[in-house]
Amino acid sequence: NAGVTQTPKFRVLKTGQSMTLLCAQDMNHEYMYWYRQDPGMGLRLIHYSVGEGTTAKGEVPDGYNVSRLKKQNFLLGLESAAPSQTSVYFCASINGPNTEAFFGQGTRLTVV
Amino acid sequence: RKEVEQDPGPFNVPEGATVAFNCTYSNSASQSFFWYRQDCRKEPKLLMSVYSSGNEDGRFTAQLNRASQYISLLIRDSKLSDSATYLCVVNPALDSSYKLIFGSGTRLLVRP
């Protein structure tokens, strides 16, 4: 099984450009999450989804939008990238409470 | 105060040593607790769940102290391969989103 797959794995953007990060899971999980990880700060929740067609804001949602049109896919969009969005982005999914979270391999984004 | 706090380390120990990490959480209603392991530039992976009764998996022992709101991880007979960052993770159970809150991680270095 592929588990959770993120694309792309690396990207360099110029300030003001837009992009979409794709997260795909093949485990039929209901719950999906986008986190960013910065040095010394751990993983911080950007947006999450509790099912197809639903999304909600996490701890650090500003500058990002998400969509969950299909259960297996959770997209993270940056409409106008800023240097402060340089980070490593991780997508995760779980099947329910008290269950293991599976992560994608991460997307390293640099905004110059 | 951060929701989940950890000593960032690094803990630098010789092979064969016993090392312990603690983590404190702020929400007394938190339901689920986990330790995840993250290798350099990789995604987090579940090491073990933490139950009220404590649990052990080989050289690893996790314990929960609800009264003091902390969880611990004990690693016995450290191996070089244990070198990684250990993330304390809590589900604060504020709603049914089951989102996970991560500590910033404790870095462990095991030397020969």
Side-chain angles (χ1 to χ4, degrees):
Chain A
N1 283 343
V4 180
T5 302
Q6 286 182 235
T7 53
K9 291 185 171 47
F10 302 93
R11 185 73 185 267
V12 178
L13 284 180
K14 293 183 178 179
T15 298
Q17 286 185 317
S18 63
M19 76 165 295
T20 300
L21 284 68
L22 171 63
C23 176
Q25 51 95 3
D26 61 3
M27 298 171 284
N28 202 35
H29 285 175
E30 288 290 341
Y31 306 86
M32 297 186 73
Y33 310 86
W34 275 107
Y35 289 89
R36 61 177 287 174
Q37 186 174 33
D38 302 293
M41 300 192 71
L43 281 79
R44 292 182 293 167
L45 183 63
I46 305 171
H47 285 280
Y48 63 95
S49 168
V50 300
E52 180 179 318
T54 74
T55 63
K57 294 180 179 180
E59 180 187 354
V60 288
D62 293 343
Y64 306 94
N65 56 74
V66 288
S67 64
R68 183 108 181 261
L69 299 180
K70 293 183 179 180
K71 186 177 184 179
Q72 64 268 33
N73 295 337
F74 194 28
L75 280 66
L76 177 71
L78 286 75
E79 290 188 346
S80 179
S84 61
Q85 294 178 304
T86 293
S87 188
V88 180
Y89 292 85
F90 286 104
C91 173
S93 72
I94 66 171
N95 199 28
N98 304 321
T99 63
E100 178 179 359
F102 292 87
F103 286 83
Q105 292 180 305
T107 297
R108 298 185 178 281
L109 175 66
T110 302
V111 182
V112 297
Chain B
R1 181 185 174 188
K2 289 183 180 179
E3 288 190 71
V4 179
E5 295 202 66
Q6 295 181 250
D7 181 343
F11 286 65
N12 192 324
V13 303
E15 271 188 292
T18 295
V19 62
F21 309 138
N22 285 334
C23 161
T24 59
Y25 60 94
S26 60
N27 185 345
S28 59
S30 296
Q31 296 289 326
S32 310
F33 310 88
F34 310 89
W35 284 101
Y36 277 71
R37 170 189 169 133
Q38 186 174 27
D39 293 294
C40 187
R41 303 174 75 84
K42 296 288 185 67
E43 73 274 23
K45 293 185 179 178
L46 180 66
L47 178 66
M48 58 198 311
S49 301
V50 188
Y51 305 119
S52 296
S53 56
N55 53 309
E56 185 173 316
D57 183 3
R59 298 181 293 108
F60 299 85
T61 300
Q63 292 191 317
L64 167 64
N65 185 319
R66 283 192 180 274
S68 300
Q69 293 180 211
Y70 78 82
I71 66 175
S72 63
L73 177 67
L74 182 75
I75 305 175
R76 291 180 297 277
D77 189 22
S78 298
K79 311 292 185 189
L80 294 177
S81 58
D82 293 335
S83 296
T85 297
Y86 291 84
L87 304 172
C88 174
V89 185
V90 174
N91 174 1
L94 298 173
D95 52 38
S96 58
S97 67
Y98 309 126
K99 51 183 177 279
L100 301 177
I101 306 300
F102 287 77
S104 55
T106 297
R107 191 172 173 208
L108 173 63
L109 302 172
V110 181
R111 64 181 186 270

